[in-house]
Amino acid sequence: MKSTIAAIDFGTSKIVTLVAETSGGQRCDIIGAGKCSYDGFLEGEWNNPADLNDAIHRSIEEAQNQAKRKIREINVGVPGEFTRVYAVETSVSIQGADPQVTPRHVEKIFANADKELGPVRGVVVHRSPAWFMIDGGKKTLEPVGQKGAELKAMVSFVVADTFFLDDVMARLRDMDLTVSGFFSSCTGEAMLYLLEEDRDRTAFLIDIGYLCTDVMAVEGDAVIFQKTLPVGGGHIAADVAEGLSIPLDSAEQIKKEYVYQMPTVSQSYTVPSGDGVKTETFTQEQVAAVLEPRVDEIADMIRECIDDSGIKLRDWSVIYLTGGGLSLNRGGKDYLSAKLGKTVRETVKRTIKMSSPIYASAMGLMDLIIDTIEAHNAPTGGMAGGMKEFFRSLLGG
């Protein structure tokens, strides 16, 4: 039987609405997508709240028209700007003549983690395990059935700001839309695009958007650190506009076409001038002088953020780059890698439709929603569905 799921994702420069169809034979088919540019948010506030409803409506309307479905219920992605991540370590003792981990011990681990988290400002929209450990042994995500005297775990909580939840719910209610649930966009993105083996060894995901950059540390099935930096691709374009004395639209074009680490004699950039008739041409050297200092600043902020996270990157740890701020540029990934002194990779291509990095957050959100729905609909109590499905059934959304 087919079912239809709608989701809306708030980026820093665009709102994306997706409509997906799921069935037994096909996990997810995107049948409608709507995108609308808007002024986004910065430092926990909408930049232009008066125009937000119109942008939401246009994004949803376009998705409805493509899908030929009327959206009445919708899932909402909470951006990193409006969330905080708490990683809690806790443990339980295992008793009995033949002590081994059971589902009850896992449930108790999460109950203990809830207590240790204590009161927080906001609403928990996601919780997930980074790892389990029996008697100080190797980290695992499948502890049930293993023998030992103590089960230890790190549990991650994603807490959303009530301002965002209340504001978006009220806006959608005024459009006669019911919010089915709120989900962590950062978590969905990290789980979809980072390989499981890299997450097991701790990885970082850097999403450079238009106005913000999300820096996430990921271990196991959890985001264990997340911070939003108030800089992005829009700041790069603004510096180009000011430095070359050209309109922002022309600067955006140069920013998109810019090739990093190119010899100065082999590249130039031609854009319309301010009067819209004549064109101006700038050399690689001219553009580099006004563009690269901002990229260097962003790289410095990312490196400082990683250092301050307290999470040590091992030699085998991987940093991934996504978002439209830098990853679409030829040489951008390698330029950032040189500045961070670590190998930076592109995220894995997980989807056929909407595979561009600019849709990474929205596609990750939809994947997380479907995962959660599948877990809730799975048979309860048994191991037949697999260990990961069992844990998801405990975690919820």
Side-chain angles (χ1 to χ4, degrees):
M1 182 178 177
K2 292 183 178 180
S3 60
T4 304
I5 301 165
I8 187 166
D9 184 60
F10 293 84
T12 56
S13 65
K14 65 186 180 303
I15 298 172
V16 176
T17 301
L18 299 179
V19 181
E21 199 170 66
T22 65
S23 64
Q26 188 166 20
R27 184 173 185 271
C28 174
D29 181 27
I30 303 297
I31 59 173
K35 181 181 75 170
C36 182
S37 298
Y38 78 130
D39 291 330
F41 48 79
L42 196 62
E43 297 182 352
E45 296 182 351
W46 302 113
N47 291 325
N48 191 350
D51 290 345
L52 181 56
N53 280 10
D54 183 59
I56 293 172
H57 176 75
R58 282 185 285 153
S59 174
I60 292 174
E61 187 175 43
E62 184 181 353
Q64 289 181 147
N65 291 339
Q66 282 190 20
K68 296 180 174 56
R69 302 278 200 286
K70 176 68 175 177
I71 297 174
R72 303 186 186 281
E73 296 184 7
I74 196 163
N75 298 278
V76 179
V78 186
E81 175 71 26
F82 296 99
T83 63
R84 295 176 307 284
V85 171
Y86 300 88
V88 175
E89 289 191 28
T90 188
S91 63
V92 297
S93 60
I94 308 168
Q95 301 175 4
D98 183 25
Q100 58 179 295
V101 180
T102 67
R104 181 174 167 275
H105 293 113
V106 176
E107 292 174 1
K108 192 172 180 181
I109 276 281
F110 282 98
N112 286 355
D114 287 339
K115 290 178 183 178
E116 292 186 28
L117 176 67
V120 291
R121 184 168 49 89
V123 177
V124 175
V125 293
H126 188 83
R127 62 173 183 166
S128 48
W131 47 260
F132 296 91
M133 187 184 297
I134 294 95
D135 293 344
K138 290 182 64 175
K139 294 178 180 178
T140 180
L141 283 173
E142 299 188 355
V144 174
Q146 295 192 36
K147 295 184 178 183
E150 182 189 55
L151 175 65
K152 189 175 181 181
M154 175 185 283
V155 179
S156 168
F157 296 84
V158 182
V159 179
D161 290 350
T162 52
F163 160 74
F164 178 88
L165 305 182
D166 294 342
D167 187 72
V168 171
M169 185 175 287
R171 292 176 187 274
L172 292 173
R173 184 173 58 242
D174 290 343
M175 300 178 195
D176 294 324
L177 289 165
T178 300
V179 175
S180 302
F182 288 97
F183 295 80
S184 164
S185 292
C186 287
T187 299
E189 187 177 8
M191 294 304 107
L192 178 61
Y193 289 101
L194 270 60
L195 294 172
E196 189 171 338
E197 55 264 34
D198 289 327
R199 288 191 267 120
D200 287 344
R201 296 177 294 192
T202 308
F204 271 85
L205 178 61
I206 313 298
D207 186 335
I208 301 179
Y210 191 71
L211 295 178
C212 299
T213 295
D214 285 316
V215 180
M216 296 163 262
V218 188
E219 187 173 2
D221 282 347
V223 175
I224 59 173
F225 169 84
Q226 188 271 329
K227 185 174 181 179
T228 300
L229 307 175
V231 288
H235 299 84
I236 299 172
D239 284 359
V240 172
E242 182 178 358
L244 300 181
S245 300
I246 58 175
L248 183 59
D249 287 349
S250 297
E252 290 276 9
Q253 180 182 329
I254 289 178
K255 181 254 172 194
K256 290 177 182 177
E257 296 175 356
Y258 186 74
V259 180
Y260 289 85
Q261 298 177 318
M262 277 288 283
T264 57
V265 294
S266 61
Q267 186 78 14
S268 62
Y269 305 89
T270 301
V271 293
S273 64
D275 57 21
V277 179
K278 297 179 181 178
T279 59
E280 293 184 80
T281 299
F282 301 95
T283 66
Q284 176 84 4
E285 191 172 33
Q286 287 175 302
V287 176
V290 297
L291 181 149
E292 291 189 3
R294 175 67 78 169
V295 181
D296 292 347
E297 179 192 18
I298 294 174
D300 288 342
M301 292 175 71
I302 292 170
R303 184 173 57 248
E304 183 178 347
C305 182
I306 292 173
D307 291 342
D308 291 346
S309 73
I311 298 165
K312 187 174 181 181
L313 280 174
R314 311 286 182 179
D315 292 339
W316 53 83
S317 297
V318 180
I319 298 176
Y320 285 95
L321 175 66
T322 191
L326 187 62
S327 62
L328 296 176
N329 292 83
R330 187 148 57 101
K333 168 179 64 68
D334 296 329
Y335 188 87
L336 180 62
S337 177
K339 293 298 175 181
L340 295 180
K342 286 279 186 182
T343 299
V344 176
R345 297 181 187 172
E346 295 177 354
T347 52
V348 179
K349 302 297 182 188
R350 293 290 201 188
T351 59
I352 298 174
K353 295 180 180 180
M354 305 179 72
S355 60
S356 169
I358 66 174
Y359 295 114
S361 178
M363 295 300 287
L365 168 64
M366 180 60 80
D367 189 70
L368 179 63
I369 293 165
I370 293 172
D371 266 355
T372 304
I373 291 172
E374 288 180 347
H376 285 168
N377 292 338
T380 59
M383 295 291 112
M387 290 303 302
K388 184 163 287 191
E389 286 69 22
F390 166 69
F391 289 132
R392 285 176 178 153
S393 72
L394 290 178
L395 307 178

